[in-house]
Amino acid sequence: MARWYAIQTKPRQEETALRHLERQGYDCHLPRIRERRLIRRRPVSMAVALFPRYLFACLDLTTQNTAPIRSTHGVVGLVRFGAGPAPLPEGFVEQLREQDERGGIPELGDWQTGDALEVTDGPFAGLRAVFAARNGDARVIVLMELLGRTQRLALPEHQLRRAGT
């Protein structure tokens, strides 16, 4: 029976590994997300791996030979726990693929100072915030009304969305 397994890639070689694995006939999926990055001091929206250094392959370990995976350009190997590869939970990759088909690649953080945001996950879920600044690659500084005062908090970017959407 075919199951989905995680494959670890070399740093920033997810696309290369994906191409080479698919060329060898493996059914693979690389979930992506849109991110804004500064390139030459200009913000550019680009698709990057949702799980850096990992992609997923659907394998039937009883009938498929997995030895070529280890020697594929860009691949470190299958993620293992103990002696054998560790299968992913049922439906995990299917949900990621379905999301890709529904709305394409989601975009994070196309916000300007003062934009109203809503926290979607974590201990502050459901609360409103105001975008203040970026803090590294995946975190942002927001202003929130807590305990009767405006507080500056650093939150993961994926826990926020524009208010009212």
Side-chain angles (χ1 to χ4, degrees), residues 56-74:
F56 308 112
C58 187
L59 305 169
D60 186 348
L61 298 181
T62 58
T63 61
Q64 275 183 299
N65 182 9
T66 60
I69 292 175
R70 287 190 310 270
S71 60
T72 299
H73 187 68

Side-chain angles (χ1 to χ4, degrees), residues 53-141:
R53 295 194 65 190
Y54 293 94
L55 59 88
F56 308 112
C58 187
L59 305 169
D60 186 348
L61 298 181
T62 58
T63 61
Q64 275 183 299
N65 182 9
T66 60
I69 292 175
R70 287 190 310 270
S71 60
T72 299
H73 187 68
V75 171
V76 173
L78 282 163
V79 175
R80 297 175 176 274
F81 292 115
L88 294 169
E90 289 289 328
F92 176 73
V93 176
E94 288 80 5
Q95 285 179 338
L96 292 173
R97 278 188 159 175
E98 184 179 306
Q99 179 181 348
D100 287 350
E101 290 170 6
R102 263 198 333 259
I105 301 170
E107 183 162 354
L108 293 178
D110 190 18
W111 305 315
Q112 303 296 320
T113 303
D115 284 352
L117 304 175
E118 182 180 348
V119 182
T120 60
D121 195 19
F124 301 108
L127 297 178
R128 298 250 177 187
V130 175
F131 179 77
R134 295 206 171 279
N135 182 17
D137 285 338
R139 296 182 76 77
V140 295
I141 303 293

